[in-house]
């Protein structure tokens, strides 16, 4: 819950709504024992381009029902008007998508059809949110409540006494660019819509959603609109519909809306399967689902603010990817054919350039069943759609971002054992070789011109010459971003992916492929300019191009050569050698993190040196950018340079950027990427080689963390991480014990982690010798 003081508005409608939906004056001092949902604040990240949403959803739900205020991605905490409560949102994305079928309760005659004009005012004093539930008192005097199942959204409106209580269903406006809308009133309780839109960061291919809305009682009148023309009594129209109720007696109206990406029948199936329950029953079920999901991690220690920010991040980590198959298991594939998921749940929405670094590893750890189905879904996209995705929404490839993020995403699933066959998984068969086949095709080729996917667009040059060229003037062959426009970072990303695919090939016995990909994984060296000591883009002739100053480099996607210089997790010993050895590498790291001032003022360094206000200020910087993905792994580089205590210093400083305020997420959350970084770094386990099973160790911020793990993937059934007395003063690792045995290395493998029951840190006020030997560092994979 978020409570903010504002000047009191002298509006009768506001006062009426406040009386209906009054919120407590402050958060309780301590959460109710066992109710972890009390520690989650969905408003965190709704300001300063965190782009989260405060509305109702269940874990990984297809429906994420939330208010839209006029911000491009949905809700902005600084706004004061709600245009509607719509079904589809993606948490933390940087571009507009979703916002389908915004619904808004009103009173009186319907004279406006533009939701920017009929939007309702509200105050944060009259607003509350918790996992699976949202409510607000509108200035119109109407109270609105939202809750959800996986495939339905439920809205309950409390109206003043009137014979003109309306619910507006807008099929023509959304967050994306509308292509076509169709609304049909079927009977005196039911409305069907079909909505086609396109958008995201660039113009994309269209996608279509189908909805079926059923009210809990008959409406007394209705009509539709086309543009600005409202036609009372009409049953069909391309714009939207209004449904009118008499609330002079019964004050509440409840509507359940089912969503499908397949067809009209799918929406009917989903409504039958998940509709029909009361609002309060659905809300209680959503809360139970979140309690169970959040209960996979139990923390002890830290103040309430730290626990609240932690569990809010854990909550956001479980919002995506999203269920894409209907209750009858049908889904629409990327070839637009209707298919049936026999042995898995089909998922969609793939922000892979972001999530391959943190979130997919966290889900593999805490939600392996769902993470397995997500990986299988991506394999199916590659098989059915003709190529693997890069950034996919629904059935559409947006080609947003560059490089090859799908490879470490899928090799993570392989390394965690999620693609192998398992007993007790409803006849599930292994997908290891199927995943390898689509990954190999992606790594060795370029998608045909007839497919929308861009894949490794610069692969021909990369394979032939060992680097992806920077060719800013090259016309784009497909919608989205172009690898040719980001040659420097793309070379690093391809090389990282080659290293991870080499490990998978080796594990599956494809030794020739393994050697070939391992050799290609060293291509990062081909964009290292020894004259500057930094990575640098090459043009099509092979010459280094752009300013020599690494803070003003060209061809690095959403970053600079300073920030990308550490993106060689497959071969940090080789990178350290290029930089001139450990001392030179540590000097470079210290400059990058402003370490000369960091220990004395960690939060000040994070907020005034690393962060420069604008979450989108990606360029012209020579310092760490904790607001974006390219250097999320960078703090853990010290684990490989003999100074692991500095990893703790940097990580704990970066953690101060996560707060329990609306601006408490650092940059776009990108479908849980930044939140997962927060969760993993707080626990003290971080995937330092994304795509492989290497977990770097740093000081946890809690005295005790209990992870409840799936025994089918984690034989121990759980892992307890302890660090008694950990604090800002006592933050340095003195010793680590794994099941009571001294552990001198700065990392654990997935294999070792699976067998452990306890990981015990002792901490102190000064750095120790722990982890400083050459043998302590994570291994190279090349």
């Amino acid at each position: 819950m978020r409570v903010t003081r504002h000047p009191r508005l002298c509006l009768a409608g506001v006062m009426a709504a406040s009386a209906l939906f009054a919120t407590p004056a402050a958060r309780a001092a301590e959460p109710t024992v066992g109710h972890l949902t009390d520690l989650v604040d969905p408003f965190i990240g709704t300001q300063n381009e965190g782009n989260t949403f405060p509305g109702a959803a269940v874990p990984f739900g297809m429906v994420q029902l939330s208010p839209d205020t006029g911000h491009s991605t949905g809700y902005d905490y600084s706004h004061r008007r709600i245009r509607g409560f719509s079904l589809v949102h993606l948490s933390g994305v940087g571009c507009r998508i979703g916002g389908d079928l915004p619904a808004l309760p009103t009173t009186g005659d319907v004279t406006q059809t533009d939701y920017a004009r009929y939007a309702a005012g509200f105050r944060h004093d009259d607003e509350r949110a918790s996992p699976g539930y949202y409510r607000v008192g509108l200035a119109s005097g109407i109270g609105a409540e939202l809750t959800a199942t996986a495939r339905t959204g439920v809205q309950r409106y409390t109206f003043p006494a009137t014979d003109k209580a309306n619910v507006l269903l807008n099929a023509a406006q959304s967050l994306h660019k509308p292509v076509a809308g169709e609304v049909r009133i079927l009977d005196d309780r039911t409305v069907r819509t079909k909505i086609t839109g396109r958008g995201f960061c660039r113009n994309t291919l269209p996608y279509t959603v189908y909805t079926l809305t059923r009210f809990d009682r008959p409406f007394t009148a209705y009509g539709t609109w086309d543009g600005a023309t409202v036609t009372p009594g009409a049953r069909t129209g391309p714009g939207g519909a209004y449904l009118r109720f008499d609330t002079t007696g019964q004050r509440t109206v409840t509507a359940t809306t089912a969503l499908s990406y397949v067809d009209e029948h799918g929406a009917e199936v989903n409504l039958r399967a998940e509709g029909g329950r009361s609002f309060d029953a659905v809300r209680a079920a959503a809360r139970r689902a979140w309690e169970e999901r959040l209960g996979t991690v139990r923390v002890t220690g830290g103040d309430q603010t730290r626990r609240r920010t932690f569990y809010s991040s854990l909550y956001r980590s479980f919002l995506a990817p999203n269920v894409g198959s209907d209750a009858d298991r049908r889904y629409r594939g990327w070839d637009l054919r209707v298919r049936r998921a026999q042995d898995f749940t089909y998922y969609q929405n793939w922000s892979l350039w972001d999530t391959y670094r943190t979130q997919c590893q966290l889900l593999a750890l805490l939600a392996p069943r769902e993470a397995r189905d997500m990986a299988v879904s991506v394999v199916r996209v590659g098989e059915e759609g003709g190529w693997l995705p890069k950034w996919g929404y629904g059935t559409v490839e947006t080609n947003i971002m560059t490089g090859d993020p799908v490879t470490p995403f899928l090799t993570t699933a392989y390394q965690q054992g999620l693609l192998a066959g398992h007993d007790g998984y409803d006849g599930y068969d292994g997908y290891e070789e199927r995943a390898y086949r689509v990954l190999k095709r992606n790594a060795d080729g370029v998608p045909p011109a007839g497919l929308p996917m861009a894949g490794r667009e610069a692969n021909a040059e990369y394979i032939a010459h060992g680097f992806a060229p920077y060719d800013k003037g090259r016309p784009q062959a497909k919608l989205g971003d172009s690898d040719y426009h980001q040659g420097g970072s793309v070379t690093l990303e391809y090389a990282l992916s080659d290293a991870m695919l080499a490990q998978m090939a080796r594990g599956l016995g494809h030794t020739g492929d393994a050697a070939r990909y391992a050799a290609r994984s060293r291509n990062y060296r081909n964009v290292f300019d020894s004259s500057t000591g930094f990575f640098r883009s090459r043009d099509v002739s092979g010459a280094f191009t752009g300013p020599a100053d690494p803070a003003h480099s060209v061809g690095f996607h959403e970053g600079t050569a300073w920030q990308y210089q550490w993106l060689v997790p497959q071969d940090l010993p080789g990178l350290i050698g290029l930089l001139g050895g450990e001392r030179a590498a540590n000097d470079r790291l210290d400059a990058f993190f402003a370490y000369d001032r960091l220990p004395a003022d960690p939060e000040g360094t994070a907020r005034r040196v690393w962060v420069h206000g604008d979450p989108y200020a990606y360029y012209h910087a020579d310092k760490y950018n904790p607001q974006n993905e390219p250097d999320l792994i960078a703090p853990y580089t010290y684990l490989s340079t003999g100074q692991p205590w500095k990893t703790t210093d940097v990580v704990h400083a970066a953690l101060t950027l996560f707060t329990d305020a609306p601006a408490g997420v650092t940059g776009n959350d990108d479908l849980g990427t930044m939140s997962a970084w927060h969760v993993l770094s707080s626990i003290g386990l971080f995937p330092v080689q994304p795509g492989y099973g290497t977990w770097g160790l740093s000081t946890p911020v809690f005295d005790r963390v209990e992870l409840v793990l799936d025994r089918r993937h984690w034989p121990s059934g759980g892992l307890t991480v302890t660090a008694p007395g950990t604090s800002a003063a006592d933050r340095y690792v003195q010793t680590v014990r794994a099941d009571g045995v001294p552990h001198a290395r700065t990392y654990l493998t997935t294999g070792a982690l699976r067998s452990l029951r306890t990981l015990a840190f002792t901490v102190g006020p000064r750095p120790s010798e722990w982890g400083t030997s050459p043998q302590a560092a994570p291994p190279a994979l090349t």
Side-chain angles (χ1 to χ4, degrees):
M1 179 187 66
R2 169 74 42 203
V3 175
T4 305
R5 302 301 175 194
H6 299 285
R8 187 173 297 275
L9 301 178
C10 298
L11 295 173
V14 173
M15 296 302 293
S18 299
L20 287 168
F21 292 98
T23 58
R27 294 186 179 95
E30 293 290 339
T32 304
V33 173
H35 289 83
L36 298 175
T37 51
D38 294 339
L39 286 169
V40 174
D41 185 349
F43 289 103
I44 295 173
T46 59
Q47 196 171 39
N48 197 30
E49 303 303 323
N51 295 348
T52 60
F53 63 85
V58 296
F60 313 120
M62 178 188 294
V63 168
Q64 302 192 323
L65 181 60
S66 189
D68 296 325
T69 64
H71 188 271
S72 63
T73 63
Y75 181 97
D76 189 303
Y77 194 80
S78 65
H79 293 173
R80 293 295 179 268
R81 289 168 64 81
I82 291 174
R83 298 179 174 188
F85 306 101
S86 65
L87 294 173
V88 177
H89 297 85
L90 296 183
S91 183
V93 294
C95 300
R96 63 178 71 239
I97 196 72
D100 298 290
L101 196 64
L104 191 73
T106 69
T107 57
D109 294 327
V110 178
T111 60
Q112 297 287 348
T113 62
D114 180 349
Y115 68 0
R117 291 181 175 271
Y118 65 64
F122 74 103
R123 303 185 310 166
H124 293 307
D125 279 346
D126 305 321
E127 193 179 33
R128 183 174 181 179
S130 61
Y133 178 70
Y134 171 89
R135 74 185 190 192
V136 65
L138 301 176
S140 59
I142 303 169
E145 298 173 272
L146 315 178
T147 190
T149 69
R151 300 173 180 87
T152 73
V154 187
Q155 305 180 53
R156 181 167 65 186
Y157 303 122
T158 303
F159 287 93
T162 177
D163 61 356
K164 291 184 176 180
N166 313 305
V167 177
L168 309 184
L169 298 179
N170 194 330
Q173 292 180 288
S174 59
L175 301 177
H176 56 69
K177 301 174 184 177
V179 172
E182 176 185 316
V183 60
R184 181 178 297 274
I185 298 172
L186 301 181
D187 55 40
D188 63 358
R189 293 174 183 256
T190 314
V191 182
R192 186 193 307 281
T193 71
K194 177 182 177 181
I195 300 168
T196 300
R198 68 196 314 161
F200 205 54
C201 299
R202 312 282 190 275
N203 202 20
T204 63
L205 295 173
Y207 73 94
T208 299
V209 294
Y210 304 84
T211 77
L212 189 65
T213 301
R214 183 158 296 149
F215 291 86
D216 66 336
R217 58 184 173 119
F219 26 85
T220 58
Y222 56 83
T224 65
W225 66 79
D226 181 355
T229 302
V230 180
T231 306
R235 287 184 174 271
T236 62
Y242 71 87
L243 304 315
R244 179 161 292 164
F245 301 86
D246 186 339
T247 58
T248 55
Q250 182 181 345
R251 301 275 301 281
T252 62
V253 173
T254 301
T256 302
T257 301
L259 177 67
S260 172
Y261 286 79
V262 178
D263 54 23
E264 292 179 350
H265 176 68
E268 294 173 1
V269 167
N270 293 340
L271 187 62
R272 284 199 304 268
E274 299 182 13
R277 290 179 293 169
S278 71
F279 182 95
D280 292 330
V282 174
R283 178 189 174 188
R287 181 180 173 91
R288 288 194 300 272
W290 279 113
E291 284 290 341
E292 180 179 357
R293 189 64 64 182
L294 297 171
T296 56
V297 185
R298 297 272 178 174
V299 303
T300 304
D303 60 20
Q304 188 180 5
T305 297
R306 181 166 295 243
R307 294 195 299 274
R308 189 158 53 238
T309 57
F310 177 84
Y311 277 106
S312 296
S313 286
L314 186 61
Y315 160 79
R316 293 189 299 272
S317 300
F318 291 133
L319 286 171
N322 307 102
V323 170
S325 50
D326 290 334
D328 61 2
R329 308 191 73 85
R330 294 183 311 142
Y331 67 94
R332 189 168 293 277
W334 280 38
D335 55 0
L336 301 185
R337 292 175 56 190
V338 177
R339 299 176 179 274
R340 191 175 299 273
Q342 296 290 355
D343 58 354
F344 70 106
T345 297
Y346 182 78
Y347 287 87
Q348 59 192 18
N349 303 336
W350 309 108
S351 182
L352 297 174
W353 188 82
D354 310 291
T355 59
Y356 89 79
R357 307 165 200 261
T358 58
Q359 194 240 11
C360 74
Q361 291 88 350
L362 181 65
L363 296 188
L365 187 68
L366 300 178
R369 174 181 283 271
E370 292 81 1
R372 179 211 71 193
D373 286 1
M374 292 167 189
V376 170
S377 299
V378 171
V379 173
R380 290 295 186 98
V381 169
E383 293 176 337
E384 297 162 2
W387 211 267
L388 286 167
K390 185 173 291 185
W391 209 125
Y393 175 74
T395 58
V396 174
E397 174 58 270
T398 71
N399 289 319
I400 293 304
M401 306 313 296
T402 49
D404 178 18
V406 71
T407 292
F409 173 85
L410 283 178
T411 62
T412 290
Y414 166 74
Q415 295 293 346
Q416 303 294 338
L418 303 182
L419 296 176
H422 291 279
D423 292 337
Y425 275 161
D426 303 324
Y428 170 73
D429 293 323
Y431 270 78
E432 291 176 327
E433 287 292 346
R434 291 173 68 173
Y436 182 73
R437 283 196 295 271
V438 292
L439 283 171
K440 180 178 178 180
R441 180 175 60 183
N442 175 73
D444 290 342
V446 177
L451 291 178
M453 301 84 156
R456 287 193 181 198
E457 186 182 11
N459 218 15
E461 294 88 343
Y462 173 80
I463 293 172
H465 307 300
F467 65 90
Y470 171 70
D471 188 2
K472 189 66 174 177
R474 185 185 183 105
Q476 288 190 219
K478 299 184 179 182
L479 297 172
D481 291 312
S482 172
D483 284 1
Y484 288 107
H485 297 172
Q486 312 291 348
S489 58
V490 161
T491 300
L492 298 177
E493 300 264 15
Y494 286 5
L496 184 157
S497 294
D498 282 337
M500 304 310 161
L501 188 55
Q503 296 299 316
M504 183 178 184
R506 184 172 293 114
L508 294 175
H510 303 294
T511 55
D513 286 349
R516 182 164 55 89
Y517 293 133
R520 279 173 27 182
S521 75
R522 294 189 285 274
N523 281 344
Y524 73 89
R525 295 171 174 264
N526 296 331
V527 289
F528 186 80
D529 183 354
S530 58
S531 69
T532 64
F534 285 87
F535 294 121
R536 197 172 173 195
S537 295
R538 291 181 181 269
D539 63 21
V540 293
S541 73
F544 287 116
T545 186
D549 180 354
H552 295 84
S553 51
V554 297
F556 291 87
H557 206 166
E558 294 190 358
T560 68
W562 269 99
Q563 291 151 1
Y564 271 95
Q565 68 186 312
W566 314 111
L567 195 62
V568 190
Q570 72 271 23
D571 187 20
L572 282 178
L575 174 63
I576 291 166
L578 289 178
L579 296 178
E582 276 193 1
R583 173 176 289 186
N586 280 319
D587 288 346
R588 182 77 62 84
L589 284 164
D590 289 350
F592 181 61
F593 291 115
Y595 196 80
D596 57 337
R597 58 183 294 176
L598 179 66
D601 186 14
E603 185 170 1
T605 303
R607 293 193 175 277
R608 291 188 289 276
V609 180
W610 297 347
V611 174
H612 299 282
D614 181 0
Y616 298 111
Y618 302 136
Y619 301 105
H620 313 305
D622 64 354
K623 294 295 184 287
Y624 174 46
N625 181 6
Q627 297 189 117
N628 204 31
E629 281 76 12
D631 50 4
L632 286 182
I633 309 171
Y636 295 89
T637 308
Y638 283 118
L639 301 182
S640 294
T641 63
Q643 297 185 336
W645 67 90
K646 291 182 178 178
T647 286
T648 292
D649 284 336
V650 173
V651 167
H652 285 211
L655 288 172
T656 66
L657 297 171
F658 292 85
T659 73
D660 60 350
V665 172
T666 172
N668 299 154
D669 198 36
D670 289 319
L671 274 68
T673 298
M674 308 306 287
S675 291
W677 187 95
H678 178 207
V679 170
L680 291 162
S681 294
S682 297
I683 293 171
L685 289 170
F686 192 84
V688 294
Q689 293 176 320
Y692 193 66
T694 309
W695 301 82
L697 304 179
S698 65
T699 307
V701 300
F702 296 105
D703 290 345
R704 182 183 181 92
V705 180
E706 297 175 68
L707 305 178
V708 179
L709 305 176
D710 185 331
R711 286 189 180 276
R712 284 166 291 193
H713 289 92
W714 301 88
S716 67
L719 173 66
T720 300
V721 181
T722 58
T726 182
S727 67
D730 292 328
R731 64 177 181 266
Y732 297 113
V733 177
Q734 306 297 301
T735 63
V736 176
R737 287 182 173 269
D739 281 347
V741 178
H743 185 82
R745 294 179 176 177
T746 60
Y747 70 97
L748 284 165
T749 64
T750 292
L753 194 61
R754 280 181 174 173
S755 65
L756 290 181
R757 293 183 178 275
T758 63
L759 186 65
F761 293 79
T762 57
V763 296
R766 287 176 294 278
S768 71
E769 294 298 312
W770 175 82
T772 59
S773 73
Q775 295 77 29
L781 302 181
T782 55

